């Protein structure tokens, strides 16, 4: 609860909201003199900045959404995932260590573990969301072209063949829940499965923000 840090965070958020178009010059009518406090340029000094607004979207009724991620801290790898329903409520979440020496392999393990969890829970309509483009290539390709991960990809595709699924990409800024879980996975000695009642506090907070539709902002 450091005052300077809180003020800096508020200023940064206002600046990003302005750059994304959610705040405009008209919102500062009568107090244009504060623009410099938020690092907002005056109209005469405007520079173009590319920003992207990212939101976690709820799945349709009768579908569940599986977000997964992987992490590698230079020593150990871990993965995490979370299953949510059409209301944005948590069904299950998981985090745990995996073998491998890259985030890419960890991400692949996360998807595999998440799909197996869906199947074991009886869900056969799954919307998979990842922030690693290589996972989309593995799943959408008709070839098992990656020699290093051949058996992992084969295992994943065999499981996917038993369900109805769709897969999409999300920027890391919108995948915060599983990013936090994957980081925890690097710290665990074995896989841990969470319910909505015992999910880690930091993840629960991010889940609530996702469910509320709060936008995340990515700057280019």
């Amino acid at each position: 609860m450091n005052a300077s840090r809180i003020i800096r965070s508020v200023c940064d958020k206002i600046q990003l909201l302005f750059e994304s178009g959610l705040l405009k010059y008209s919102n500062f009518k009568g107090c244009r003199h504060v623009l410099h406090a938020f690092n907002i340029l005056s109209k005469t000094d405007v520079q173009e900045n590319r920003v992207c607004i990212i939101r976690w979207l709820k799945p349709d009724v009768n579908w569940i959404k599986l977000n997964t991620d992987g992490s590698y801290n230079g020593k150990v790898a871990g993965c995490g995932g979370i299953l949510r329903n059409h209301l944005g409520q948590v069904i299950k979440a998981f985090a745990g260590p995996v073998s491998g020496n890259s985030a890419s392999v960890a991400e692949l393990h996360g998807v595999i573990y998440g799909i197996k969890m869906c199947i074991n829970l009886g869900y056969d309509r799954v919307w998979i969301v990842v922030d690693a483009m290589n996972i989309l290539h593995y799943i959408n390709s008709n070839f098992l072209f990656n020699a290093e991960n051949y058996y992992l990809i084969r295992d994943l595709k065999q499981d996917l063949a038993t369900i109805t699924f769709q897969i999409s990409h999300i920027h890391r800024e919108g995948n915060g829940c599983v990013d936090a879980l994957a980081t925890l996975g690097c710290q665990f000695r074995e896989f841990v499965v969470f319910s909505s009642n015992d999910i880690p506090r930091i993840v629960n907070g991010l889940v609530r923000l996702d469910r509320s539709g709060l936008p995340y902002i990515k700057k280019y």
Side-chain angles (χ1 to χ4, degrees):
M1 297 297 291
N2 179 276
S4 298
R5 187 178 302 165
I6 293 172
I7 292 171
R8 183 70 265 158
S9 296
V10 171
C11 289
D12 289 344
K13 179 62 71 174
I14 289 175
Q15 181 187 9
L16 289 172
L17 290 172
F18 182 85
E19 291 176 355
S20 67
L22 296 177
L23 284 178
K24 303 181 183 301
Y25 282 109
S26 59
N27 297 119
F28 294 90
K29 185 177 181 180
C31 55
R32 294 285 177 87
H33 60 282
V34 304
L35 288 174
H36 70 278
F38 306 115
N39 291 322
I40 296 175
L41 300 174
S42 65
K43 281 190 174 181
T44 57
D45 298 321
V46 171
Q47 298 178 359
E48 287 192 16
N49 290 298
R50 293 183 59 200
V51 296
C52 177
I53 298 176
I54 305 160
R55 285 185 174 89
W56 184 87
L57 301 177
K58 297 173 183 176
D60 292 335
V61 178
N62 299 324
W63 281 73
I64 64 166
K65 193 169 187 179
L66 169 66
N67 286 73
T68 66
D69 197 12
S71 178
Y72 179 66
N73 61 17
K75 295 181 180 179
V76 295
C79 68
I82 188 167
L83 282 65
R84 286 174 277 190
N85 62 19
H86 66 284
L87 298 176
Q89 299 167 331
V90 175
I91 300 170
K92 292 287 183 182
F94 64 87
V98 297
S99 59
N101 57 0
S102 70
S104 177
V105 174
E107 286 161 348
L108 189 53
H109 276 285
V111 178
I112 292 172
Y113 192 94
I115 293 299
K116 289 185 182 298
M117 176 177 284
C118 292
I119 294 172
N120 291 335
L121 291 173
Y123 296 109
D124 59 0
R125 293 186 177 184
V126 184
W127 180 6
I128 307 165
V129 180
V130 295
D131 57 36
M133 290 299 298
N134 62 311
I135 301 297
L136 274 77
H137 295 323
Y138 293 156
I139 292 177
N140 291 330
S141 172
N142 293 323
F143 303 98
L144 301 176
F145 56 85
N146 188 294
E148 180 183 3
N149 300 317
Y150 175 88
Y151 293 105
L152 290 175
I153 298 170
R154 186 185 65 176
D155 187 22
L156 173 59
K157 289 198 170 187
Q158 287 174 345
D159 286 339
L160 289 174
T162 67
I163 64 172
T164 300
F165 74 93
Q166 63 183 51
I167 184 168
S168 58
H169 174 265
I170 190 170
H171 292 292
R172 184 169 296 275
E173 288 80 358
N175 214 25
C177 291
V178 289
D179 181 63
L181 286 166
T183 300
L184 288 174
C186 292
Q187 303 169 17
F188 293 164
R189 292 187 176 182
E190 59 184 16
F191 269 81
V192 178
V193 176
F194 305 99
S195 67
S196 59
N197 297 322
D198 60 4
I199 195 167
R201 179 180 297 180
I202 185 174
V203 179
N204 189 46
L206 292 168
V207 167
R208 293 173 64 184
L209 293 176
D210 283 351
R211 190 164 62 238
S212 71
L214 179 77
Y216 300 93
I217 301 172
K218 177 180 177 63
K219 293 184 66 175
Y220 293 93

